[in-house]
Amino acid sequence: MSKRLFVKGNEAAAMGAIEAGCRYYFGYPITPQSDIPEYLSRELPKLDGEFIQAESEVAAINMLLGASACGVRAMTSSSSPGISLKQEGISYMAGAELPGVIINISRSGPGLGGIDASQSDYFQSVKGGGHGGYRIAVLAPNSVQEMYDLTMHAFDLADQYRTPVMVLGDSVIGQMKEALVPNPRPVRELPAKEWAVRGKSGGEQRIVKSLFLGDGELEAHNWRLHAKYRQMMEKECLSEEFETADATLLVTAYGSVARIAHTAVAMAREEGLKVGLFRPITLCPFPEEALKAAGQRAGRILDIELNTGQMVEDVRLAVGSGVEVSFYGRPPGAGSLPSPEELLDQIRKHYA
């Protein structure tokens, strides 16, 4: 068994990337994610890897595109405003079917906002934040251990489906310290990268592109991308349930807020309230079927987010009109992180 370590969530993500075989990182500093490039700037050169602090977020995402086209495992990271600047490049990567990992340690906004925790990047992340009708896989860790594990998983998903994958954290998960067991990378059989460009090394010419000008080419390409997304929906949805078997009120939450909600649900159980928690781990693809089953058993849902209401739309779509869905949110700002007691009050209110 691996030795337990005491590290930040940001450091855990960087460690997971290295364990997954990532040897190329391109980024630009921004709070609260800068521990990731700081760690990788120190460790990648020891592994004959490359760390480049780009001149901008736009440059960093295009460096990731170029490295990915060569078939290597590479990543970038940023926080909300920086991720916005990367959206065109992410769209190009999705269109060219290039794997790569993007970590967003999200912060409050809009605009420059602040460095407090926020979940206001949900729409941007799961609906395709750049131009074009694409989707990317989005993973939402709620612990330091999951920052490590899901970053490794993100690289496998990226290679399996030839797509960018985002790990969506926030300043709470990124900056907190917890115990971490740095387990070895799980073994997963992945397709060979026969599409990767090779320069003048001989053999057939390989072209990586997102430009399709022939009659019907772009439509066919978009349907192919859509079919890949549907395949991820069928095979890659992840979620976690707590005390849902007999629940008559189901709380839905993800990321750092799910940690607080878990405590609130446990407190409600001590009061005799039949409350459960459903936590999506993959935000895209969204675990619709699992949530639908849990939601229809309970009959009522209280969705809790650190924003004014985003994931709640996917919750309502998943469970259908027969389930009552309520929402409680806290817009990002100093001191906006709810306490377990605050969420317990909301549970009592909606349980009655």
Side-chain angles (χ1 to χ4, degrees):
M1 181 178 178
S2 300
K3 182 180 179 181
R4 282 162 58 93
L5 305 174
F6 188 58
V7 299
K8 282 186 176 183
N10 285 339
E11 294 168 333
M15 293 168 65
I18 289 174
E19 178 62 28
C22 174
R23 295 296 182 268
Y24 300 89
Y25 174 90
F26 316 97
Y28 189 82
I30 181 174
T31 303
Q33 66 85 45
S34 293
D35 307 280
I36 297 173
E38 180 180 352
Y39 185 95
L40 292 173
S41 69
R42 183 179 69 245
E43 298 300 325
L44 281 178
K46 300 176 184 178
L47 302 168
D48 293 325
E50 292 289 341
F51 170 91
I52 296 179
Q53 180 174 310
E55 64 269 30
S56 69
E57 289 89 350
V58 175
I61 191 65
N62 284 287
M63 290 176 184
L64 176 61
L65 184 154
S68 174
C70 296
V72 301
R73 285 195 157 182
M75 67 173 280
T76 187
S77 64
S78 193
S79 297
S80 303
I83 295 294
S84 295
L85 291 168
K86 296 177 187 286
Q87 290 301 327
E88 182 185 40
I90 294 172
S91 176
Y92 272 66
M93 290 182 68
E97 298 185 87
L98 289 174
V101 172
I102 303 107
I103 298 180
N104 180 5
I105 305 301
S106 61
R107 54 188 267 179
S108 53
L112 284 177
I115 62 173
D116 304 288
S118 171
Q119 295 183 327
S120 298
D121 289 359
Y122 180 90
F123 281 157
Q124 181 194 61
S125 303
V126 308
K127 307 301 184 186
H131 63 287
Y134 70 95
R135 300 285 183 91
I136 65 172
V138 181
L139 308 173
N142 83 331
S143 67
V144 169
Q145 185 68 54
E146 283 195 354
M147 285 288 284
Y148 178 86
D149 294 337
L150 292 181
T151 299
M152 286 196 294
H153 185 53
F155 279 98
D156 283 350
L157 285 181
D159 283 349
Q160 182 71 53
Y161 294 97
R162 285 186 61 184
T163 181
V165 178
M166 180 173 288
V167 177
L168 180 60
D170 61 43
S171 61
V172 173
I173 301 298
Q175 292 295 322
M176 69 186 295
K177 279 193 170 186
E178 283 186 327
L180 166 70
V181 179
N183 295 313
R185 169 189 165 197
V187 177
R188 177 167 177 162
E189 188 173 344
L190 297 168
K193 295 184 177 181
E194 298 177 350
W195 46 265
V197 297
R198 299 171 298 177
K200 295 182 178 180
S201 60
E204 63 178 319
Q205 184 183 36
R206 296 175 179 177
I207 300 175
V208 173
K209 65 175 185 175
S210 61
L211 180 67
F212 299 90
L213 299 178
D215 288 346
E217 282 186 347
L218 186 56
E219 180 180 1
H221 179 63
N222 273 288
W223 280 119
R224 183 168 65 253
L225 295 179
H226 180 72
K228 185 163 55 176
Y229 173 70
R230 297 305 304 178
Q231 187 178 18
M232 285 193 286
M233 281 286 295
E234 294 171 3
K235 297 182 178 180
E236 305 296 346
C237 289
L238 298 173
S239 59
E240 181 183 68
E241 298 185 31
F242 173 65
E243 299 281 15
T244 62
D246 65 342
T248 57
L249 175 65
L250 185 69
V251 173
T252 54
Y254 74 92
S256 60
V257 175
R259 294 172 66 100
I260 306 169
H262 188 283
T263 301
V265 167
M267 294 164 66
R269 281 280 172 171
E270 292 176 358
E271 295 183 4
L273 305 182
K274 293 182 178 180
V275 185
L277 173 67
F278 184 94
R279 176 173 72 96
I281 298 173
T282 52
L283 302 182
C284 187
F286 195 73
E288 295 176 357
E289 293 302 319
L291 177 56
K292 182 179 180 179
Q296 289 184 345
R297 284 197 309 268
R300 293 178 296 170
I301 290 177
L302 172 59
D303 180 68
I304 302 174
E305 303 176 52
L306 201 59
N307 54 47
T308 56
Q310 296 191 19
M311 186 179 76
V312 65
E313 294 189 7
D314 286 333
V315 171
R316 290 190 174 113
L317 286 171
V319 299
S321 59
V323 178
E324 177 187 342
V325 179
S326 301
F327 173 76
Y328 180 72
R330 292 287 302 273
S336 66
L337 201 66
S339 67
E341 291 77 15
E342 179 181 338
L343 298 190
L344 178 59
D345 286 341
Q346 290 297 316
I347 288 171
R348 292 183 186 126
K349 175 182 175 182
H350 289 87
Y351 191 86

